[in-house]
Amino acid sequence: MNTNVEALIVITTVPDEILAVKITESLLQQSFAACVHVLPAGRSHYRWQGKIEQAAEITLVIKTSRERYRQLEDEIKRLHPYEVPEILALTVETGLPAYLEWIANETR
C-alpha cells in the first residue's frame, strides 16, 4: 500500500443542482476526482466588486490527488458560469491509508 499518497480536498460552490451534477459527472468520468460529495443548497453571503451579495449555492467537496489537481481546476473553470469560481484545495495531512490509496488509484 502506498502511504505517500498526496490527497487533496477541493471545495467549490455552484448555483444549482444541474451544474452540480454536470461538474460531478465530468470530474468522475475523466478520473479527475475519486469522489464528489454534493451538499444541499445553502446561502452564501459575500463581498463582490464592492457590494455585499448573497446567493443560494450548492457546495461540492471533491477528493482528488495532487497530480490531478490542475486538470480538475481547469475542468471546473471550463464548466462554471462564475467569473471567479470558488476553488479551494486543502492538503490532507493524514487519513486512513486504504482510503488514501483508493483516491490515488481512482485518479490515475
Side-chain angles (χ1 to χ4, degrees), residues 53-90:
E53 305 280 350
Q54 60 176 299
E57 292 184 309
I58 294 169
T59 301
L60 305 181
V61 180
I62 305 159
K63 289 79 165 195
T64 192
S65 60
R66 182 173 300 280
E67 74 179 53
R68 296 296 262 177
Y69 173 77
R70 187 61 53 202
Q71 294 163 305
L72 182 143
E73 179 186 277
D74 289 344
E75 185 66 1
I76 292 172
K77 290 189 307 188
R78 184 181 77 78
L79 296 171
H80 211 291
Y82 295 172
E83 183 179 335
V84 181
E86 174 184 5
I87 304 173
L88 300 172
L90 310 171

Side-chain angles (χ1 to χ4, degrees), residues 16-54:
D16 58 54
E17 184 73 27
I18 292 169
L19 186 57
V21 170
K22 183 176 184 177
I23 288 175
T24 295
E25 289 177 352
S26 179
L27 295 178
L28 292 172
Q29 287 171 355
Q30 298 180 76
S31 298
F32 296 161
C35 175
V36 179
H37 188 88
V38 180
L39 298 174
R43 197 111 198 116
S44 184
H45 299 257
Y46 54 94
R47 292 186 54 81
W48 178 248
Q49 298 180 343
K51 294 188 214 172
I52 295 175
E53 305 280 350
Q54 60 176 299

